[in-house]
Amino acid sequence: MARVRVADARDVPRIVDMIEALREAVSGPVPVDRNWTIRTVSGLIRDPAGCVFVTDGGFIAGLMQPTVISPAPIAKEVGWWAGDGSGLRLLRAFEAWALEQGAQTIQLSTAPEGPDLSRLGYGRAELAWVR
């Protein structure tokens, strides 16, 4: 069973590799800019409002953020990949972190044909359209 732990700077190159695998798996429309992604992941690791958890073959990253309609904090997942079957364990770590941070809502994204998270208590709130 893959152990979930808080990521540190040594994990960044491996996380960026997983982000490239994630982009390919979901047919993401935006190519990965490795330098930007390294800076972004490193920033999330250092930021008290950010988090990055890892396993041997997975990661989840997110941040606390208000919206334009309310200052109520939302824990927003900004990347989630589990090539080692650790997806649910990563999600549970993210949820625990979000609650510790006082999140009122947790926002996740999946590929269009990704898993149905309703069985975990999540509901679809919006769709993203890209061009």
Side-chain angles (χ1 to χ4, degrees):
M1 180 184 301
R3 182 177 71 89
V4 176
R5 65 178 176 75
V6 174
D8 63 37
R10 294 171 299 207
D11 296 305
V12 172
R14 191 168 53 87
I15 292 168
V16 174
D17 290 342
M18 288 187 274
I19 290 170
E20 288 196 4
L22 168 64
R23 181 206 175 251
E24 183 157 328
V26 301
S27 300
V30 179
V32 175
D33 178 322
R34 285 190 69 90
N35 290 328
W36 171 263
T37 305
I38 287 167
R39 288 192 308 271
T40 301
V41 172
S42 297
L44 287 170
I45 289 171
R46 289 189 311 270
D47 188 341
C51 75
V52 183
F53 293 99
V54 293
T55 61
D56 289 340
F59 82 96
I60 192 167
L63 68 155
M64 295 297 293
Q65 193 173 53
T67 66
V68 296
I69 61 172
S70 172
I74 292 178
K76 183 175 184 178
E77 169 263 317
V78 295
W80 180 20
W81 169 258
D84 62 355
S86 64
L88 184 58
R89 288 188 300 283
L90 287 162
L91 173 57
R92 294 299 188 213
F94 182 72
E95 290 172 330
W97 171 82
L99 293 175
E100 288 171 7
Q101 300 300 309
Q104 302 295 306
T105 304
I106 298 172
Q107 180 181 341
L108 306 170
S109 60
T110 63
E113 292 80 31
D116 179 353
L117 300 177
S118 62
R119 63 184 172 81
L120 301 175
Y122 289 89
R124 185 180 289 176
E126 57 189 34
L127 295 172
W129 298 87
V130 296
R131 177 169 86 163

